[in-house]
Amino acid sequence: SRNERPGITGISHFFEHMMFNGTSTRPPGEFDRVMEANGGRNNAYTSSDVTVYQNWFPASATELIFDLEADRMRNLDFNPEKVESERQVVYSERRSSVDNDNLGTLVEQMQATAFVAHPYQIPTLGWPSDIEGWKIQDLKDYYTKYYAPNNATMFIVGDVSPDAIFRLADKYLAGIKAQPAPEPVTTKEPEQIGERRIRILREAQTPIVAMAWHAGAAKDRQTRVMEVLLSILGSGDSSRLHQRLVEHEQAAVEVGTSLDQGFDPGLAWIYAIVPPGGDPARTEALIDEEIARMAKDGPTPAELAKARNQALAAFWHGLETISGKAQALGTFEVFQGDYHKMFDMPAEYAGITADDLKQVASQVLTVNNRTVGVVVPKVDGAQGGAQ
């Protein structure tokens, strides 16, 4: 969605669906049927930065997979009936994960509020009127521009030989015409100069409080530090926020953190599900206290050691499978320009210090750099909840 604009928001995610719905040489459903008949399976996902297609298959089906992928990169069918059918599927996905989900609504609204200039303000699922309004020509233009070999990165991991893979790439992909490179995204989000707040009144059992701060991009060292910082604050039952808010103060029934890691600086998130009838303002104040304590005193040695070990364990655990290897190699190649940088991660995590965490907490997790969102339950059809 980083590459979208008003009028075609959500179109990247739409293609994630359309790419399985037939080509000029294969009818709808044939891609999955043929792959599964040969022992394979697949999946796909779309984010603010990329769309990723994943195939798992026996080595004996490698040439078939190249044929299938080349076909849908070259010959995608834009049958109007299938376009309309998938349009409804995508709209249904938006209703279930955003429109009818209070946390999903809050996150979407906060992202649109936190970014005033950068296209990260665009929701990956798209705005409703745009989903309804895409034209066939919009889809064809997008497909031609972005589904070109010079805009794709492919990793093949498993029981294969490099020479054989390069021969297959030459046979099936080399003949697909390259396209002019997509226009670069040059907009930089201006520095935030004051807290932003949104308040959403919804049919809800419990209030929700969330905070989002402008943070780094995937390639930045600060992002590794923020990973460790958020782990100490809100990852797992022993984290500071869980212990304070859930165990001791009963100001939340759940806390969590997440971190955007894309081409451009994204957001660091903390959220808390408040107990029914609870006061979101109190929950927010307790989160602020823990952030201030981290910025002033930093982590304990035990907290820092545990968080670094968790980050390292997650890194190595992610490489245990061939799927994890492919995902990691592709992520580093695409977002950092070189898959070899993946092998620098253990040293980067090991080099994070208590002073690094204090600095990021005091310089990034500030009031003026954040967007705060609150979901307030309706009471008897009227405004409700304390704040």
Side-chain angles (χ1 to χ4, degrees), residues 71-89:
D71 185 32
R72 65 177 181 172
M73 187 180 285
R74 188 197 303 264
N75 301 313
L76 191 66
D77 185 24
F78 293 93
N79 179 286
E81 291 185 5
K82 291 304 300 181
V83 168
E84 292 309 311
S85 174
E86 286 304 319
R87 192 194 305 268
Q88 296 308 311
V89 171

Side-chain angles (χ1 to χ4, degrees), residues 34-341:
V34 170
M35 184 178 290
E36 291 168 6
N38 285 271
R41 61 187 178 90
N42 58 67
N43 204 352
Y45 65 87
T46 304
S47 72
S48 296
D49 297 276
V50 292
T51 300
V52 175
Y53 297 91
Q54 303 161 303
N55 300 317
W56 300 269
F57 52 91
S60 59
T62 303
E63 183 163 4
L64 172 65
I65 300 303
F66 268 89
D67 185 17
L68 289 168
E69 290 293 358
D71 185 32
R72 65 177 181 172
M73 187 180 285
R74 188 197 303 264
N75 301 313
L76 191 66
D77 185 24
F78 293 93
N79 179 286
E81 291 185 5
K82 291 304 300 181
V83 168
E84 292 309 311
S85 174
E86 286 304 319
R87 192 194 305 268
Q88 296 308 311
V89 171
V90 169
Y91 209 120
S92 176
E93 187 173 340
R94 181 190 161 82
R95 281 194 293 268
S96 64
S97 61
V98 177
D99 299 338
N100 296 327
D101 183 278
N102 292 330
L103 184 58
T105 296
L106 182 63
V107 168
E108 181 181 85
Q109 290 294 309
M110 288 178 66
Q111 187 138 350
T113 303
F115 290 100
V116 298
H118 193 278
Y120 280 161
Q121 66 185 225
I122 296 171
T124 302
L125 289 177
W127 296 114
S129 61
D130 290 345
I131 296 173
E132 295 169 354
W134 304 314
K135 304 295 190 293
I136 295 290
Q137 192 59 49
D138 294 329
L139 301 176
K140 290 181 177 179
D141 291 345
Y142 192 89
Y143 177 72
T144 299
K145 177 184 289 186
Y146 291 105
Y147 280 81
N150 53 301
N151 195 47
T153 300
M154 177 185 286
F155 275 84
I156 296 90
V157 178
D159 182 19
V160 292
S161 72
D163 288 344
I165 291 299
F166 288 125
R167 284 197 300 271
L168 291 172
D170 284 338
K171 179 178 179 180
Y172 288 98
L173 301 175
I176 302 177
K177 184 179 178 181
Q179 298 294 330
E183 302 86 356
V185 176
T186 58
T187 300
K188 298 183 185 301
E189 182 67 19
E191 180 181 358
Q192 188 169 327
I193 54 176
E195 184 182 67
R196 299 169 189 159
R197 284 184 166 267
I198 63 171
R199 186 172 183 273
I200 298 174
L201 192 64
R202 292 291 293 266
E203 298 286 352
Q205 295 293 318
T206 63
I208 305 173
V209 175
M211 303 176 182
W213 294 263
H214 291 281
K219 64 182 180 180
D220 299 335
R221 181 176 183 273
Q222 183 203 93
T223 298
R224 308 285 86 72
V225 178
M226 183 62 78
E227 282 185 61
V228 174
L229 175 60
L230 291 177
S231 177
I232 293 171
L233 286 173
S235 178
D237 291 351
S238 64
S239 66
R240 289 191 177 192
L241 290 174
H242 181 90
Q243 286 296 309
R244 181 80 187 276
L245 274 66
V246 179
E247 300 293 343
H248 297 297
E249 303 283 354
Q250 286 79 54
V253 296
E254 178 185 340
V255 297
T257 64
S258 66
L259 180 63
D260 300 339
Q261 299 192 39
F263 290 120
D264 301 317
L267 299 173
W269 296 80
I270 294 175
Y271 73 89
I273 310 297
V274 182
D279 181 1
R282 175 172 173 262
T283 303
E284 180 184 331
L286 292 172
I287 295 173
D288 286 343
E289 287 180 14
E290 291 304 316
I291 292 172
R293 188 160 68 92
M294 178 65 73
K296 179 177 181 292
D297 301 326
T300 67
E303 285 179 323
L304 178 58
K306 178 182 178 182
R308 285 192 307 206
N309 288 339
Q310 285 177 328
L312 285 166
F315 172 79
W316 291 117
H317 180 68
L319 298 178
E320 287 180 349
T321 65
I322 59 171
S323 179
K325 290 180 176 69
Q327 179 74 31
L329 290 165
T331 295
F332 278 86
E333 179 70 23
V334 169
F335 288 104
Q336 302 201 31
D338 183 356
Y339 70 86
H340 291 92
K341 292 183 179 179

